[in-house]
Structures are given as structure tokens and as C-alpha cells.
Amino acid sequence: MTSRGTDKFGWISSARITVIATAFLLVFSGDLFAALANLQEKTPSDGSQKSADVPNLSEIIPLSTELSSRLAQLENRKLDIPDLAVIENNYAEIAGRIDAVSKKLDHLKNIESGSKVKGLGIMQTFTYDEDRLNKINVPLDKAIKQFDALGSEWLAEKQRWQEWRNTLSKNHSYRRITAAFDEADSTIETALDFISRQMDLLLAVQADGARLNAKIARLLDVESTARNEKVHMQSLFGKSPPIYSLAYFTQFNGDLWRAAWENLKFIPWPGKVFFLLHGLELGLLVISVIGFLALIYRKRKAFAASENWSFVAERPFATVLFVTSLFATVRMQFWSPSSDLVLTLMIVIGSMSCLRLLVRVLEGGWAKKVSCGVMSFYAITALLIIVEVPAPIFNLFILMASIVTLTFSIKWIKEYWLSESGSYPLWGTRALALWFAIVIIAEIMGETGIAYSMFVNSVITLAVVALIVLFIYMLRGGIHWVFFSSPLWQVKLMRSDAQKNERKVLFIIEALISVFLLLPAILSIWDFYDNFPDAISGLLSPGFEVGGQKITVGLGIAAIATLYGSFYFAQIAPKVLLDEQIMGRQMDRGVRGSIGHLIRYFIIFVGLLLTVSMLGFSLTNLTIILSALGVGIGFGLQGIVNNFVSGLILLFERPIREGDTIVLGEQWAQVKTIGMRATIIQTFDLAEVVIPNADMINSHVTNWTLSNRKARLSIPVGVDYGSDVSLVVETLLGCANDHDLILKSPATEVLFLNLGDSSLDFELRVWIQDNDNRLLVTSQLLQEIVKRFREKGIVIPFPQRDVHLYGVDDTNGQSLKHPIGNEPRPEGDTSLNY
């Protein structure tokens, strides 16, 4: 029993028990020691607690005197107290302006004919004042927080001195000590009273600001609600008297023109707050305009020679205005507060400059005509909206513009029908004519809401599409310059893939512009979202949850872009970095290939990590998952892992390199590619063989070009026994020395190796510079040897055998002279033998 039990549990040795116990202590010792430390901190001795909190009698009077010094410092030091009089004056100024604007707004609301297209811009004025209030309140809030902290500090000091008095008065009743406590209490009360008076002043001013802020918020809420109801409900269902009725013409009365005049007074000019907040960006915008103009005029000849950017040289000012206004328009969508007037100004400038460039860039006549009409209507519509013209006037503009567009569309349809210029212009103009015919009918019937939505939204949509198309056209020219004219073209490894790389980059850029610029702009124009930022957020926010982590559309696009970018950059970076003109000048082809593979693997690995972390997955959890998968990899994927590790060994130790000539088994080949899993070699028959990397490590491989590419050729030569040996040696040396590919050093050798059965055996040993030429040199040498041997009468023998027969008589010997079936015929026999 004992022996069986010992055998059964013999694997539990004392060493293994020690290892298990040590691991257990290492895991739990941290928590155990932390618990003991917390327990010691929570249960100190009474004596130590008392000595740490209550001072000695000898320290009471100095501490009381120190309190008096602290009070003097509190009263005399310069705290961050703002000038309350200036703040109150600013509050009064803002309140007066708000009251005046509110009264004018109430006056305009009483005018029935003064209904607006987009409101009066009053909300912008209120937003300016709200932002100004927030800036004014910053130092006020800071001062309140500072005095609140000082009050808490002196209250804690008051409680501390009260505890000291209660503790020490039990055992001691010295009059000087009691007086010190009384003096400390008086000092603390004085400090608290000083802090309280300052806090009362600050809080009173803050209350005024809060009431003013609440008033602005209430006005903004009322105006926003009214405007949203008006715009979103009336935009589609708004009605007016039909144009052919008398009620329509009676709208053009004195009240209408007074409302139009009042609207001009309320054009939302940008205020001081706007320029204070965005003055730096506006200044940079002006500087960028000047810088771009200088750059274009300096490189005007280069732009003129470019196929894609020749229009830049012809119209530089329009190009600069287009680019800067487009960037400023997109950027202003995220400004708070923004300025509708400045934004409209940028829109008009951008549309006019875009029109100038489109006329130059577009080739088709119909495209130029449509662009002129769209951009002109776009600029006029933006101006009418910003001046807030009354609805009857704006409806009349929509009717006239639609009639003009319909007239030209019918004319273009006839031209394209007769010219047979293609189906796209014809069907495009037909759709345009049908669309504006519906707008005209809606306006005539009094369906002004439908007419307004169709006209304004379609004009803005077409204008935005034209702006973005022109912007993409300019980007294409820039990308083409990067790959074909920039210093990147000088990189040798990039030239062959320039067109492919250009297509990839253009695909990425155009996809990003479509998703993040064009689609959100169209959705916000057609009122699916309130504004451009909300449209972007609405498009990117939908998603689903995976393990408690929400994967949104935005995260998915960002992850895909990151992963695609990492793979693309992994292809580009090694070619650029390892170019012969940059880092690869002192490297041979094999070294460059190995380093290129390592750079590529590293970039892809980093891209994968960024993608995983971008999706919200913890790298710690990923490490745990990879550890768990390590067991499965060890069993199921060990061959792949073995080949991958072998590939890394090939790249680091470099026993073979790309371009080397090797002998694997009986096969001569050249190494073409060393990959992650396998190595591709190419035989001299141009057959490509895929060999796992593990076989390249474990098998016997002869590398003829590992340290150098020199090679020695050994050519055996046999001559007849009657040949002159010295002449043979001289002839072989002459053949070798006259060959251009044979090296002079090491010297050529001719060795007399053996007296063979049928020949005198020699060996010609020569050296060549490049092993790739061994077959060619061997063939040429053999041809030259045969030629010179014939000229000098040296015979190359063939195998001969003399057979001697013993014990055979003459009769049988004669019969063996001729093979069976080939006996000589009797004289005169002409028959055939079969």
C-alpha cells in the first residue's frame, strides 16, 4: 500500500510544492500587506492622536499671534477681485440693448405683411450678448470660488481652536491662556466677517448677471420655438393668395415696404464679441489669401504647364478666393457665435469665384450654362435671405427665376435634341425643366411653402455640388503633382506604381469628402437635420453594441480608414525610406528587402493596435485573449507560427537574401521573395517554387552568393594518350586567358589529374566574377576548347575496349566475326533478309 501510494502521488515533489506556495504568496501578499497597513492607519494609539492634534500650552500664545498676522495678510493682500462697478455697467449696457431689440421685435411682429423667409436675425444678437455675459462672469466666478475656499479655511480654524479650548481648559485655567483663546476667537470672527462682506457684494452682482442671462435664455427660447414652427411647418405647408387673385397684389402695400425697410435695419452685423472671439482666425484667413496669391504668381509658369492646374495660372485671384472662402464657410459652421452676414459674404464670394473657374474648367456647353444659372441664383438667394425680405417679394423672385430657368431649359432641350450631343445633357435639362415647372405651378396656385422648399433647397444643393466638384478637381491636380512632379517622383521604387498610388489616394479622399462633406450638407439643406454639424453627428452616431461597447458608424469608418491607411502606408514607407537616394545607397538589394519587410510588418502591427483601440476594445483584454489563443496556436497553428518565426530568422540572420543564387536539393534557383510564411524561388527554367520558411531553415541550402558572387568553374578535359601534355596545358590556359568574363586573379590553373583508361585526364579551373554567368562561361569555354584542339591536332578520345578470347577454335572464332543475322550473302544472292 505504501509503495502504491508513493507511486501514485510521486509527482508532487517538495520543489513543486515550494513553487506553488511561493506563487500563492506572491499573488495574495499585496492585498494582505495593504489590509494590514490600512488597519494600522485606521487604529492609531490615543496618545499619538492627541499629541498630533492638541498643541502644548507653550504653543497657544504664538499660534494666536500667528492668526492675527494671517488676518492682516487677508485684509491687505491683493485678491482676484474684479471691478464690480465695471461689471455692473456692462450688465446695464447689455440689458438696455436687449430691451431695445425686444421692443423692435414686438413692433415688427404686429405688421402682418412682414413675415420673413428666415426670421430677423435677432437670435444672433441675443447670442452675442449671452457669450459676452459668460466672459464677464469668468473673473466673478473665480473670485467667488476663492472667497468660498477662504471661508471654509477660517471655519475649520474656528472649530480647531474650539476643540483646543475644550481640551486644555479641563486641566488648566491660566488667565493668559484664556486671553489667548479669546484673542484667537476675535481674530477668526473678524476674518469671517471680512469674507462674508466680500461674498455678499460678489453674490449680489452675480445675481444681477444671472437674471440677465435668464432673460436672454427666455427670449432665445421663445424666438427659437417660433422660428422653428414657422420654418419647419410653414416651409412645406405655407400658403399665400394665388398670384392670379386680387388678394396677392394687395399684399404690396405700405406695411410690406415698411417691414422690408425695418428688415434692412436689422441686418445682423457682426459685433465686437464676434471679432474678439474669431479675430485671430479671420486674420489668418487674410494672411492665407495673400500667401496663396504670392505663391501662385511665383509659380505661375509651372501651373500653366500643368495639365490639371492650368486654370490656376489663368485665374489666380478667383482660385485663391474660392479655396479660402470654401474653407471659411465650412469652418464657420462650427463657430459659436457665428455671423450670418459674414457667412453669406463668404458664400457669395465663393459662388462667384467658383463660377469663374467652372467656366474655364468645364468642357461641355450645357454644363457651363447650368453652372452660370445655378451659381447666380445661389448668390442672389443668399443675399435675399440675409436681408430678410418679406415673403411676397421673395415669392415673386422665385417665380421669375423659375420662369427664366424653364425658358432656357426648353431652349437647351431643342438644341441637344438636334445636335445629338448625348443622353446626359438631354435628360438633365428635361429633369431641370420639369422641376421648375412644378415650382411655377406651386407659386401660381399659392403653395408658397412647397415652391420655396423646392426652389431654395435645389439651388443650394446644386451650388454645393458644383463647389465640391470643383474642389475635388483641384485636389486631383494636387495629387497628380505629388506623384508625378514632386520630389516623390525621384524615388525610384515609386515610379512604377505612381498611377496605382494616385488612384488609391484619390479614392480615399473622394470617399471621405462624400461621407463627411457632401452628404451631410445635402441632408442639412433639405431639413433632415437642423445644421451641418448635427447632420455629421446624425450620420456617424448610429451603431450597435458588442460586449457592452457601442460601435458607431463613425468608429467603423475611422477604423476602416486607419486599417486601410496602415496597409497602404506599409507599402509606401519602405519604398521611400529605402530608396537608393535616401537610405539605401550603402545597402545591397537583399538588405533593403529584409529591412523593408520589417518596416512593413511593424506598420501593419501598429495599425492593427490603433484599429482595435479605436473601436473601444481594451488592449489588456486583447492580451488575455491572445494568451488564451496561444494554447490553440501551439497545437493547431504551430506550422504557420513555425514558418513565421523562421521567416523572421531569415530576415535577421540573413543566411539567404532576395536575389541570392542557391542550390536546394538538386535544384538551382534564385531567391525572389522572402515572405511571412514562405519563400518564393525561381528556377532557371523560370518556374516559381513556393517553399515554407521552416524548410529553408532546417534543410541543407547551398548559397552561392552569400558573402560574394565569385565562383570557381572546374571543367574536366580528356585527351588521347599520344597527345603532347605541354601543348594541352598551353592550349587550355590560352582558352581561359582569352575569355573576357574569367578573372585574372585568382589565376587560372590546369591540373594533370589522372591516367585514365582511355585518356589523359586534365582539369581546367577558372574564376568568374558573377555566379549567374557560370553556365554561359562553361558553354563558351567548351566550344573554344574543342575549336583549338582541332586546330592543333589534339584528339579527344572516346572509350575503347580490346576483348581477348581464350579457348575458342578457328571455326567458332570465324562465326563470331559477324553478328547473327548479318552474315555475308553468297555471291549472286539478291534476296532480302527480314
Side-chain angles (χ1 to χ4, degrees), residues 91 166 213 404 438 448 592 599 801:
Y91 284 167
N166 294 335
N213 206 351
V404 171
I438 296 174
T448 55
R592 290 199 301 268
I599 295 174
R801 294 288 185 270

Short mmCIF file of all heavy atoms in Angstrom, two decimals, residues 91 166 213 404 438 448 592 599 801:
data_model
loop_
_atom_site.label_atom_id
_atom_site.label_comp_id
_atom_site.label_asym_id
_atom_site.label_seq_id
_atom_site.Cartn_x
_atom_site.Cartn_y
_atom_site.Cartn_z
N TYR A 91 -23.37 95.04 -17.50
CA TYR A 91 -24.71 94.45 -17.39
C TYR A 91 -25.77 95.44 -17.85
O TYR A 91 -26.73 95.07 -18.57
CB TYR A 91 -24.97 94.04 -15.95
CG TYR A 91 -24.26 92.77 -15.51
CD1 TYR A 91 -24.19 92.42 -14.16
CD2 TYR A 91 -23.66 91.92 -16.44
CE1 TYR A 91 -23.54 91.26 -13.75
CE2 TYR A 91 -23.02 90.77 -16.04
CZ TYR A 91 -22.96 90.45 -14.69
OH TYR A 91 -22.32 89.31 -14.29
N ASN A 166 -11.64 73.43 24.67
CA ASN A 166 -12.36 72.44 25.47
C ASN A 166 -11.42 71.40 26.06
O ASN A 166 -11.61 70.93 27.19
CB ASN A 166 -13.41 71.73 24.60
CG ASN A 166 -14.51 72.69 24.14
OD1 ASN A 166 -14.77 73.71 24.79
ND2 ASN A 166 -15.15 72.34 23.02
N ASN A 213 -28.98 86.83 -17.71
CA ASN A 213 -28.75 85.62 -18.52
C ASN A 213 -30.04 84.84 -18.69
O ASN A 213 -30.31 84.29 -19.77
CB ASN A 213 -27.68 84.76 -17.84
CG ASN A 213 -26.96 83.89 -18.85
OD1 ASN A 213 -27.36 83.79 -19.99
ND2 ASN A 213 -25.91 83.26 -18.41
N VAL A 404 -37.46 81.97 -65.90
CA VAL A 404 -36.23 82.12 -66.69
C VAL A 404 -35.56 80.76 -66.87
O VAL A 404 -35.12 80.40 -67.99
CB VAL A 404 -35.28 83.13 -66.02
CG1 VAL A 404 -33.93 83.12 -66.70
CG2 VAL A 404 -35.88 84.52 -66.05
N ILE A 438 -42.88 72.59 -61.95
CA ILE A 438 -43.65 72.32 -60.72
C ILE A 438 -43.56 73.51 -59.77
O ILE A 438 -44.56 73.88 -59.13
CB ILE A 438 -43.13 71.04 -60.06
CG1 ILE A 438 -43.36 69.83 -60.97
CG2 ILE A 438 -43.80 70.82 -58.70
CD1 ILE A 438 -42.75 68.55 -60.44
N THR A 448 -46.90 78.37 -51.59
CA THR A 448 -45.59 79.01 -51.49
C THR A 448 -44.61 78.19 -50.66
O THR A 448 -43.39 78.27 -50.88
CB THR A 448 -45.74 80.39 -50.86
OG1 THR A 448 -46.43 80.28 -49.60
CG2 THR A 448 -46.54 81.32 -51.76
N ARG A 592 18.13 45.73 -48.27
CA ARG A 592 16.97 46.61 -48.41
C ARG A 592 15.67 45.83 -48.34
O ARG A 592 14.69 46.28 -47.73
CB ARG A 592 17.06 47.38 -49.73
CG ARG A 592 18.16 48.42 -49.76
CD ARG A 592 17.90 49.43 -50.86
NE ARG A 592 17.82 48.81 -52.17
CZ ARG A 592 18.84 48.65 -52.99
NH1 ARG A 592 20.05 49.04 -52.62
NH2 ARG A 592 18.69 48.10 -54.18
N ILE A 599 9.95 46.83 -41.67
CA ILE A 599 9.19 48.09 -41.57
C ILE A 599 7.72 47.85 -41.90
O ILE A 599 6.82 48.37 -41.23
CB ILE A 599 9.80 49.15 -42.50
CG1 ILE A 599 11.21 49.52 -42.04
CG2 ILE A 599 8.92 50.39 -42.57
CD1 ILE A 599 11.93 50.46 -42.99
N ARG A 801 37.61 -0.57 -75.92
CA ARG A 801 37.88 -1.80 -75.18
C ARG A 801 38.45 -2.85 -76.16
O ARG A 801 37.89 -3.04 -77.24
CB ARG A 801 36.61 -2.36 -74.52
CG ARG A 801 36.05 -1.47 -73.42
CD ARG A 801 36.94 -1.50 -72.16
NE ARG A 801 36.35 -0.75 -71.09
CZ ARG A 801 36.56 0.54 -70.89
NH1 ARG A 801 37.33 1.20 -71.75
NH2 ARG A 801 36.01 1.15 -69.87
#
